[in-house]
Amino acid sequence: MHIPDNYLSPSTCAAFGVVMIPVWKRTVAKVKKEITKKKMPMLGICSAFSFLIMMFNLPLPGGSTGHAVGAALIAILLGPYAATISVTIALVIQALFFSDGGILAIGANCFNMAFVMPFSAYYIYNFTRKMFRGKKGEKVAVLLAGYISLNLAAFCAAIEFGIQPILFKDATGAAMYCPYGLSAAIPSMVGSHLLVAGLIEAFVTLGVYSYVKKVDPNFIYQGSEVKSKPMYGLLIGMIVLCPIGLLATGTAWGEWAPEEVKDLVGFIPKGMEKGFNFNSIMPDYSMAGLSEAASYIISALAGVAIILIIFKILNSRRNRV
Amino acid sequence: MFEKDEYIPKEDKVKFIDKSILAFLNILSVMKRKTSLGNGYVYSLNPVVKLGFTILIIIFLSLSRNFLFIWTVNVYLFLLLASLNGEKIKDILKVSIIVPIFTLVILIPSILAGNKLNSMMMLSKILGTIIAINMVSYTTRWTHLTKALKLMHIPDIFILVFDITLKYIYILGEFSLEMLYALKLRSVGVNNKKYGSITGIIGSLFLKSKDMAEEMYSAMECRGFSGEYSSNIKFKYTFKDFIYCILNILIIVLYFYIGRM
């Protein structure tokens, strides 16, 4: 997921650099308060740790191997602010000394892996742990934190790639930087992370977390009482961003209607033609009399409400038992 | 007991351990090589000047839309590369070629769809950028490079953190390498617990890092560390730097003449 230079336009890189400055400022201030200025050098060792996590290869089906990013793990073990700083330092060292990821793209890479990933992981972890109490809930929380945060980071990278051909074209209309739009970048980036990299991240995060918890439980970060507000902020942000899906031409990967399958494959699979056309309450996320973007947002809200209701019902049943 | 035992362990998949070991060995060897640098024009340049102009060149390369400018810069970088010794050139080319090849593979559909010019431009820019940054990394002491970061208004305490990170990547890297060797030696035949062991190794690494951090902090405090740290840049500017500056300023001027198109 390390974006090299020249895949993104210089202006995109500059924009992400500007976005990251207040993030770095705030995290440095927060970390200074939490661990005092004197102990700052200890961050160096944490950064070394976050650099080295990426060196461990794990087997994948089919004989190849992959590695975890580790930002979710560090966020849970050391807190999201320390994670932002240590992953940033690890990324800068990779870009500057190992030419892994671009120099100009440092802002974008840090945004994906040192900001979106640790913070989303930390909030998902705390939020889920509150929802499901008990030991199993903790495990689920760690797994979800690793899995979802990596996919969110990949999604951000996909959007960064995908907006390039929309925003930057030469006189003939050909793309100047990464040539693939959202409709190609999102399925290929997110698809591979949903299926493979996300699982590795979740597995490593859970494995290491359980190990550390067993050997020395005092070492796990105990932040101030986490407010669920940022989690709701994240949810609202995602809901508002939902209509980005409209920018992508065609339907989402794997969500074809039977007619579209015909266009793609040349025939309608028999099973799909009959029976299996299940009418959802909001077919294709659109409702009569509403603009497409608005109905997207409303559908997303409905989805969130349904998920919250299911979670709360499950939780209350667990408490009664 | 005295009978000879014919035990042939069953084959097991250990590829991921080997790959991890290789990844660590690679990092450690790259870092070790940094302590012995060669002699030559590019080596003797002032790190601040070198890093500053390299980043400027990368920025202008990325901004430019002109093939003539991009290839002038690339040729200039190749000439600088040619002034190094053979081993170094081989090393730099070896690590620099991966990203352009990867990019080419990714761009094939777009090239076939007719977007040839821009794809070639992107590839040329990527090649130049990667060679420029690898040349800096391979010809400069890393501690000097971190000091040169002061140029970008990075606070002194962070330069200290950078230095500590680099040192501990080496120390902790050696530590994890030993654990990986131990895992490999102890897994004779089929061992189904290997996957769990990798996360165990990462976990031990975390605990070890925490211990080392505490120890280092105590050691620093004993020696009077109070949280203040100032790194001074004391690099000499020589005639070579002057020539290097002139060359780079010429390239930047060239950008404003032809590169902007």
Side-chain angles (χ1 to χ4, degrees), chain A residues 7-9 12 159-168 177-178:
Chain A
Y7 273 59
L8 304 181
S9 79
T12 317
I159 288 182
E160 284 151 27
F161 284 134
I163 57 173
Q164 300 304 316
I166 301 175
L167 297 179
F168 307 100
Y177 302 99
C178 174

Side-chain angles (χ1 to χ4, degrees), chain A residues 5-7 10 37-38 41 44-45 51-52 57 59 63 65 89 97 99 103 170 174-176 179-180 208 211 219, chain B residues 15 19-20 62 65 103 106 109-110 115 118 125 129 134 137 142 145 161 165 195 204 207 209 213 221 225 228:
Chain A
D5 273 333
N6 293 310
Y7 273 59
K37 203 176 174 187
K38 269 166 123 185
I45 295 181
F51 178 93
L52 289 171
N57 282 284
T65 57
I89 291 178
F97 300 112
S99 69
I103 294 279
D170 61 9
M176 278 157 48
Y180 304 112
V208 177
Y211 180 87
F219 265 147
Chain B
K15 204 173 138 199
K19 252 193 158 169
S20 308
S62 164
R65 303 281 310 139
T103 312
I106 287 187
S110 164
N115 195 359
N118 285 319
K125 284 180 181 182
T129 312
N134 273 328
S137 153
W142 286 5
L145 267 189
V161 172
T165 308
Y195 307 115
S204 310
L207 297 174
S209 323
E221 201 171 36
F225 179 72
E228 297 301 325

Side-chain angles (χ1 to χ4, degrees), chain A residues 230-283:
Chain A
M231 190 67 200
Y232 292 119
L234 181 73
L235 275 177
I236 291 169
M238 284 168 73
I239 292 165
V240 174
L241 281 176
C242 254
I244 279 188
L246 289 177
L247 286 175
T249 50
T251 22
W253 179 256
E255 288 185 16
W256 308 290
E259 295 77 29
E260 281 165 312
V261 174
K262 192 182 173 190
D263 286 342
L264 277 169
V265 199
F267 64 94
I268 303 178
K270 269 227 170 112
M272 258 178 126
E273 203 173 8
K274 290 175 202 159
F276 145 66
N277 213 344
F278 142 88
N279 275 324
S280 83
I281 314 169
M282 298 172 194

Side-chain angles (χ1 to χ4, degrees), chain A residues 94-138:
Chain A
Q94 280 176 332
L96 207 55
F97 300 112
F98 296 91
S99 69
D100 199 359
I103 294 279
L104 305 182
I106 275 184
N109 279 327
C110 286
F111 180 82
N112 301 339
M113 283 182 278
F115 174 54
V116 171
M117 198 171 162
F119 274 91
S120 59
Y122 186 69
Y123 287 123
I124 291 166
Y125 164 73
N126 275 297
F127 190 71
T128 327
R129 215 176 45 163
K130 261 192 200 162
M131 286 279 177
F132 291 116
R133 296 198 186 272
K135 265 199 171 161
K136 266 195 189 145
E138 206 176 299

Side-chain angles (χ1 to χ4, degrees), chain A residues 175-194:
Chain A
M176 278 157 48
Y177 302 99
C178 174
Y180 304 112
L182 291 167
S183 55
I186 294 179
S188 60
M189 279 294 282
V190 178
S192 59
H193 284 82
L194 277 176

Side-chain angles (χ1 to χ4, degrees), chain A residues 44-63:
Chain A
I45 295 181
C46 299
S47 313
F49 172 68
S50 75
F51 178 93
L52 289 171
I53 291 181
M54 300 190 212
M55 300 295 115
F56 286 100
N57 282 284
L58 281 156
L60 291 178

